[in-house]
Amino acid sequence: MHLQWFPGHMTRAIRMMEEEVKLVDGIIFVLDSRAPFACMNKRLEKVFSNKPVLYLLNKSDLVDQADLKKVIKIFESQNKRVITSVGVNEKSLKSIYNAIFDMLKPVLDRYKQKGVKKPLRAMVVGIPNTGKSTVINLLTGGKKARTGDKAGVTKDKQWVKVKDLELLDTPGTTPPSFDSQENAKFLAYIGSINDDILDFNELAIELIKYLTVNYENAIKTTYNIDVLDKTPLEILEEIGAKRGALKKGGEIDYDRVSKLLFTDLRKGKLGKILFIDNGND
Ligand SMILES: Nc1nc2c(ncn2[C@@H]2O[C@H](COP(=O)(O)OP(=O)(O)O)[C@@H](O)[C@H]2O)c(=O)[nH]1
Ligand SMILES: [Mg+2]
């Protein structure tokens, strides 16, 4: 299985972003904290390179604190502006709002200095399912006070007011990083790639490998299985036997046990797992 984006689709998505970026003073890039680097894209970083970007490590409730710290360090070492958030928790509202205004303060000062009277504008972007709509709702309080159409390039764009800020109403969907197959797999694990195209048997083996290397106890404590000196396939088979994922004759139902493993992962039953490729730091 090789996960890929068709180059044409990628180019079209990037072009669209290039146009949208022109409309705003800053970008709020929503990432899934469980696989933050896989949510990014080197080509996009170039598109955003002359606008300030705030990276939101969203769904931070699904990742362990120590792991989050590790991720934040990597972002900071690359001079990226980053905060953690839980889009579904109102407590995150203030810190997101403050971080946006910190980011845009220099732009605001520049406008004031030049006597420019236009509102600060920002847009929320990210790959599907990272929580973009949730974050927009949090910021707008779900009220969606539209600002009305403006003349010129923004004619077909709807903006919503967030205090002194105007936010593009529709979030921008960015293409994920398939720079590495490792990152592509991570997105499959957390459910950000259409499940229909995935080979779960193969992914299950890869996931077990990742877990035994990085989260030694996850399988052991979840399924009460000793993983020492066992191959990923043997571990998968043992999980199948334990959980009764068997065919009529008693042999392992690989499809069932593989899917079960991913259901457990996505429900958090295996604990809080961070997926990062060590090549990222
Ligand atoms: N656990 C958790 N779930 C979240 C968080 N933010 C969003 N979600 C959930 O993630 C799913 C996708 O969110 P949505 O805003 O629709 O993502 P979008 O596709 O980027 O617009 C929804 O079920 C949200 O309730 C978060 O911080 N933590
Ligand atoms: Mg959405």
Side-chain angles (χ1 to χ4, degrees), residues 256-271:
R256 244 172 77 205
V257 64
S258 301
K259 288 215 170 113
L260 180 148
L261 181 64
F262 281 99
T263 306
D264 287 351
L265 172 77
R266 292 172 186 177
K267 279 192 177 156
K269 284 193 183 159
L270 286 145

Side-chain angles (χ1 to χ4, degrees), residues 44-279:
L44 266 178
E45 283 185 46
K46 286 200 191 102
V47 173
F48 297 153
S49 64
N50 55 13
K51 295 279 162 86
V53 180
L54 170 65
Y55 290 95
L56 278 195
L57 290 169
N58 195 42
K59 305 198 182 184
S60 61
D61 53 318
L62 305 180
V63 173
D64 189 70
Q65 284 299 321
D67 279 339
L68 268 180
K69 277 199 186 132
K70 196 159 80 185
V71 172
I72 289 170
K73 268 205 174 138
I74 297 173
F75 273 86
E76 287 177 345
S77 73
Q78 298 171 351
N79 291 318
K80 291 189 167 88
R81 191 181 289 269
V82 66
I83 61 164
T84 59
S85 65
V86 181
V88 288
N89 188 335
E90 270 184 32
K91 281 189 195 145
S92 282
L93 174 59
K94 209 169 171 181
S95 56
I96 298 175
Y97 183 81
N98 288 343
I100 297 173
F101 269 84
D102 276 354
M103 168 172 80
L104 294 178
K105 177 83 172 42
V107 182
L108 185 65
D109 290 346
R110 219 160 48 231
Y111 282 175
K112 271 187 187 154
Q113 224 172 32
K114 288 188 189 162
V116 178
K117 281 215 173 69
K118 64 177 183 184
L120 287 173
R121 284 184 158 173
M123 69 192 278
V124 174
V125 307
I127 68 165
N129 210 36
T130 49
K132 297 179 296 299
S133 300
T134 307
V135 167
I136 292 177
N137 271 333
L138 182 71
L139 286 167
T140 59
K143 280 197 292 286
K144 296 259 166 140
R146 289 184 195 275
T147 59
D149 291 343
K150 298 264 154 64
V153 284
T154 62
K155 204 167 61 192
D156 59 338
K157 300 283 174 194
Q158 292 285 352
W159 301 84
V160 287
K161 256 193 158 33
V162 180
K163 296 190 188 172
D164 299 332
L165 180 77
E166 289 189 1
L167 205 62
L168 195 56
D169 190 9
T170 46
T173 306
T174 60
S177 164
F178 281 10
D179 302 339
S180 80
Q181 277 298 294
E182 203 63 12
N183 279 332
K185 257 182 267 162
F186 295 161
L187 294 178
Y189 295 168
I190 65 171
S192 282
I193 294 178
N194 182 358
D195 280 349
D196 299 341
I197 65 159
L198 301 176
D199 176 346
F200 278 101
N201 293 339
E202 198 182 317
L203 284 178
I205 296 294
E206 296 288 325
L207 173 62
I208 291 171
K209 268 190 217 157
Y210 186 91
L211 292 175
T212 48
V213 172
N214 298 287
Y215 292 90
E216 238 183 340
N217 289 319
I219 290 173
K220 216 157 140 185
T221 46
T222 311
Y223 302 108
N224 196 19
I225 285 174
D226 197 9
V227 296
L228 205 70
D229 295 329
K230 286 180 190 149
T231 66
L233 182 62
E234 285 166 346
I235 295 170
L236 185 69
E237 286 170 343
E238 216 168 307
I239 297 171
K242 282 237 161 156
R243 295 289 297 268
L246 303 169
K247 289 185 174 164
K248 271 200 187 119
E251 57 186 294
I252 303 292
D253 187 335
Y254 290 99
D255 284 346
R256 244 172 77 205
V257 64
S258 301
K259 288 215 170 113
L260 180 148
L261 181 64
F262 281 99
T263 306
D264 287 351
L265 172 77
R266 292 172 186 177
K267 279 192 177 156
K269 284 193 183 159
L270 286 145
K272 295 183 171 184
I273 312 284
L274 168 72
F275 293 103
I276 62 170
D277 180 350
N278 289 322

Side-chain angles (χ1 to χ4, degrees), residues 5 8-24 27 43-44 47-48 123 125-126 156-157 168 170-175:
W5 258 67
H9 288 181
M10 180 69 85
T11 300
R12 208 169 316 134
I14 299 271
R15 290 255 160 81
M16 223 148 91
M17 255 318 130
E18 280 169 348
E19 289 310 307
E20 304 240 285
V21 163
K22 289 179 191 161
L23 308 176
V24 296
I27 290 137
R43 281 178 71 184
L44 266 178
V47 173
F48 297 153
M123 69 192 278
V125 307
D156 59 338
K157 300 283 174 194
L168 195 56
T170 46
T173 306
T174 60

Side-chain angles (χ1 to χ4, degrees), residues 31 115 142 241:
L31 310 169

